[in-house]
Protein backbone atom coordinates (compact mmCIF):
# COMPACT_ATOMS: atom_id res chain seq x y z
CA UNK A 1 0.00 0.00 0.00
CA UNK A 2 1.35 3.43 -0.92
CA UNK A 3 0.12 6.68 0.57
CA UNK A 4 0.96 10.29 -0.23
CA UNK A 5 0.27 13.35 1.90
CA UNK A 6 -1.53 16.44 0.67
CA UNK A 7 -2.26 19.91 2.11
CA UNK A 8 -5.24 18.65 4.11
CA UNK A 9 -2.96 16.33 6.08
CA UNK A 10 -0.59 19.07 7.23
CA UNK A 11 -2.82 20.53 9.93
CA UNK A 12 -3.12 17.10 11.55
CA UNK A 13 0.57 16.26 11.30
CA UNK A 14 2.41 19.47 12.15
CA UNK A 15 2.50 20.53 15.79
CA UNK A 16 1.37 24.02 16.73
CA UNK A 17 3.92 26.56 17.96
CA UNK A 18 4.03 27.40 21.65
CA UNK A 19 3.23 30.95 22.77
CA UNK A 20 6.32 31.42 24.95
CA UNK A 21 9.13 29.73 23.09
CA UNK A 22 12.46 30.42 21.42
CA UNK A 23 14.55 28.86 18.67
CA UNK A 24 15.95 26.27 21.08
CA UNK A 25 12.41 24.97 21.63
CA UNK A 26 12.10 23.63 18.09
CA UNK A 27 14.96 21.23 17.55
CA UNK A 28 18.50 21.23 16.25
CA UNK A 29 19.09 19.93 12.74
CA UNK A 30 22.58 18.96 11.59
CA UNK A 31 23.12 19.02 7.82
CA UNK A 32 26.27 17.53 6.31
CA UNK A 33 26.19 18.75 2.71
CA UNK A 34 27.97 20.57 -0.07
CA UNK A 35 31.48 20.08 -1.38
CA UNK A 36 33.58 22.93 -2.79
CA UNK A 37 31.46 23.07 -5.97
CA UNK A 38 28.02 22.36 -4.46
CA UNK A 39 27.22 25.16 -2.04
CA UNK A 40 23.67 25.29 -3.43
CA UNK A 41 22.85 21.79 -2.20
CA UNK A 42 23.82 22.75 1.35
CA UNK A 43 21.97 26.06 1.07
CA UNK A 44 18.72 24.52 -0.20
CA UNK A 45 18.80 21.84 2.50
CA UNK A 46 19.37 24.39 5.27
CA UNK A 47 16.65 26.69 3.95
CA UNK A 48 14.21 23.77 3.80
CA UNK A 49 14.96 22.83 7.42
CA UNK A 50 14.35 26.42 8.53
CA UNK A 51 11.10 26.69 6.53
CA UNK A 52 9.85 23.44 8.08
CA UNK A 53 10.25 24.96 11.53
CA UNK A 54 13.63 23.81 12.84
CA UNK A 55 14.81 26.07 15.62
CA UNK A 56 18.54 25.77 14.97
CA UNK A 57 20.24 24.55 11.80
CA UNK A 58 23.93 23.77 11.60
CA UNK A 59 25.59 23.02 8.27
CA UNK A 60 28.88 21.15 8.05
CA UNK A 61 30.33 21.84 4.64
CA UNK A 62 33.48 22.65 2.75
CA UNK A 63 35.11 25.77 4.22
CA UNK A 64 34.79 27.50 0.81
CA UNK A 65 31.00 27.46 1.26
CA UNK A 66 30.98 29.48 4.49
CA UNK A 67 30.53 32.91 2.91
CA UNK A 68 27.84 31.75 0.47
CA UNK A 69 25.82 29.99 3.17
CA UNK A 70 26.12 32.66 5.83
CA UNK A 71 25.35 35.45 3.36
CA UNK A 72 22.23 33.72 2.04
CA UNK A 73 21.15 32.27 5.41
CA UNK A 74 22.73 34.32 8.21
CA UNK A 75 20.62 32.50 10.81
CA UNK A 76 22.37 29.15 10.32
CA UNK A 77 25.37 27.87 12.22
CA UNK A 78 28.33 26.81 10.09
CA UNK A 79 30.97 24.21 10.76
CA UNK A 80 33.58 22.31 8.86
CA UNK A 81 33.57 18.57 8.28
CA UNK A 82 36.18 18.12 11.00
CA UNK A 83 33.50 19.26 13.49
CA UNK A 84 31.34 16.18 12.86
CA UNK A 85 31.98 14.31 16.13
CA UNK A 86 31.07 17.23 18.40
CA UNK A 87 28.15 18.21 16.16
CA UNK A 88 26.63 14.74 16.54
CA UNK A 89 26.34 15.41 20.27
CA UNK A 90 24.74 18.83 19.63
CA UNK A 91 21.93 17.89 17.22
CA UNK A 92 18.52 16.23 17.50
CA UNK A 93 18.46 14.86 13.92
CA UNK A 94 20.76 14.60 10.91
CA UNK A 95 20.60 15.07 7.14
CA UNK A 96 23.57 13.57 5.32
CA UNK A 97 24.54 13.80 1.69
CA UNK A 98 23.24 16.59 -0.55
CA UNK A 99 26.09 17.65 -2.84
CA UNK A 100 28.77 16.33 -0.51
CA UNK A 101 30.45 14.21 -3.17
CA UNK A 102 31.42 10.56 -3.08
CA UNK A 103 34.83 9.91 -1.57
CA UNK A 104 36.64 7.96 1.10
CA UNK A 105 36.15 10.97 3.43
CA UNK A 106 32.39 10.89 2.80
CA UNK A 107 32.34 7.16 3.56
CA UNK A 108 34.24 7.72 6.83
CA UNK A 109 31.84 10.48 7.90
CA UNK A 110 28.81 8.31 7.15
CA UNK A 111 30.37 5.41 9.06
CA UNK A 112 30.89 7.71 12.07
CA UNK A 113 27.24 8.78 11.97
CA UNK A 114 26.02 5.20 11.62
CA UNK A 115 28.28 4.07 14.46
CA UNK A 116 26.84 6.73 16.80
CA UNK A 117 23.35 5.56 15.84
CA UNK A 118 21.41 7.66 18.34
CA UNK A 119 19.62 10.31 16.25
CA UNK A 120 17.02 10.20 13.46
CA UNK A 121 18.90 10.23 10.16
CA UNK A 122 17.99 11.13 6.59
CA UNK A 123 20.41 9.97 3.90
CA UNK A 124 20.05 11.76 0.58
CA UNK A 125 21.86 12.22 -2.74
CA UNK A 126 25.61 11.59 -2.42
CA UNK A 127 25.03 9.84 0.89
CA UNK A 128 23.08 7.23 -1.06
CA UNK A 129 25.69 7.23 -3.82
CA UNK A 130 28.37 6.60 -1.17
CA UNK A 131 26.42 3.60 0.13
CA UNK A 132 26.24 2.23 -3.43
CA UNK A 133 29.85 2.97 -4.37
CA UNK A 134 31.34 1.38 -1.25
CA UNK A 135 28.70 -1.36 -0.95
CA UNK A 136 28.02 -0.31 2.63
CA UNK A 137 25.67 -2.33 4.77
CA UNK A 138 23.26 -0.11 6.67
CA UNK A 139 21.96 -1.32 10.00
CA UNK A 140 20.78 1.79 11.79
CA UNK A 141 18.82 1.21 14.99
CA UNK A 142 17.33 4.62 15.70
CA UNK A 143 15.34 5.91 12.74
CA UNK A 144 16.38 6.12 9.12
CA UNK A 145 14.88 7.70 6.01
CA UNK A 146 16.41 7.12 2.59
CA UNK A 147 15.37 9.52 -0.19
CA UNK A 148 16.48 7.96 -3.47
CA UNK A 149 15.29 9.12 -6.84
CA UNK A 150 15.06 6.39 -9.48
CA UNK A 151 18.75 6.43 -10.45
CA UNK A 152 19.92 6.30 -6.82
CA UNK A 153 17.42 3.54 -6.03
CA UNK A 154 18.57 1.52 -9.02
CA UNK A 155 22.18 1.83 -7.86
CA UNK A 156 21.24 0.73 -4.35
CA UNK A 157 19.41 -2.31 -5.73
CA UNK A 158 21.97 -3.06 -8.45
CA UNK A 159 19.42 -2.93 -11.27
CA UNK A 160 18.50 -0.52 -14.04
CA UNK A 161 15.88 2.21 -13.92
CA UNK A 162 13.46 0.32 -16.18
CA UNK A 163 13.37 -2.53 -13.66
CA UNK A 164 12.65 0.01 -10.90
CA UNK A 165 9.78 1.51 -12.88
CA UNK A 166 8.10 -1.86 -13.47
CA UNK A 167 6.75 -1.96 -9.92
CA UNK A 168 7.73 1.13 -7.94
CA UNK A 169 5.85 0.20 -4.75
CA UNK A 170 7.24 -3.33 -4.60
CA UNK A 171 10.77 -2.14 -5.36
CA UNK A 172 10.52 0.55 -2.69
CA UNK A 173 9.35 -2.10 -0.23
CA UNK A 174 12.28 -4.36 -1.12
CA UNK A 175 14.73 -1.48 -0.87
CA UNK A 176 13.40 -0.57 2.56
Amino acid sequence: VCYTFDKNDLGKLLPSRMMNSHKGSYGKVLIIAGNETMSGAACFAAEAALRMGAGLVKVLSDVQNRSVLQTKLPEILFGERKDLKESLNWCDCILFGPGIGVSEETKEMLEMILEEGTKPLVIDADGLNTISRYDMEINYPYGLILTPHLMEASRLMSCDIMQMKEDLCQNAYELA
Side-chain angles (χ1 to χ4, degrees):
V1 173
C2 290
Y3 181 78
T4 59
F5 294 105
D6 62 29
K7 287 181 185 180
N8 297 327
D9 297 311
L10 293 179
K12 297 176 251 176
L13 296 172
L14 296 176
S16 58
R17 302 292 261 195
M18 299 177 289
M19 292 289 289
N20 297 314
S21 62
H22 54 83
K23 61 186 171 188
S25 303
Y26 297 104
K28 300 172 186 170
V29 178
L30 176 63
I31 299 172
I32 303 100
N35 64 24
E36 66 278 358
T37 64
M38 293 282 186
S39 61
C43 190
F44 290 140
E47 186 173 17
L50 291 167
R51 286 182 180 210
M52 289 304 299
L56 292 163
V57 175
K58 182 175 189 177
V59 176
L60 299 186
S61 191
D62 189 275
V63 68
Q64 295 177 20
N65 294 334
R66 179 188 297 272
S67 63
V68 171
L69 287 164
Q70 292 192 307
T71 299
K72 174 98 169 106
L73 300 168
E75 62 272 45
I76 68 164
L77 303 167
F78 183 88
E80 297 176 37
R81 293 175 181 184
K82 65 181 174 62
D83 302 326
L84 179 58
K85 186 91 171 154
E86 73 180 51
S87 296
L88 291 175
N89 294 325
W90 169 85
C91 69
D92 297 317
C93 62
I94 305 160
L95 167 60
F96 183 85
I100 199 166
V102 177
S103 66
E104 187 65 36
E105 179 191 26
T106 306
K107 177 182 175 260
E108 290 169 7
M109 288 189 297
L110 183 54
E111 287 172 337
M112 182 186 298
I113 292 167
L114 294 169
E115 190 175 293
E116 291 284 321
T118 59
K119 310 282 171 77
L121 171 63
V122 176
I123 303 177
D124 183 47
D126 285 336
L128 299 169
N129 294 327
T130 298
I131 292 168
S132 297
R133 168 84 53 84
Y134 293 98
D135 197 26
M136 297 173 70
E137 187 171 318
I138 305 300
N139 182 14
Y140 194 75
Y142 195 78
L144 176 65
I145 297 173
L146 303 178
T147 62
H149 56 59
L150 282 174
M151 179 61 84
E152 292 161 346
S154 69
R155 286 184 196 128
L156 288 167
M157 293 186 68
S158 300
C159 66
D160 65 45
I161 290 178
M162 294 312 292
Q163 288 174 292
M164 290 298 299
K165 287 181 177 180
E166 285 175 12
D167 191 346
L168 285 175
C169 288
Q170 181 60 34
N171 286 323
Y173 179 79
E174 287 177 25
L175 180 58

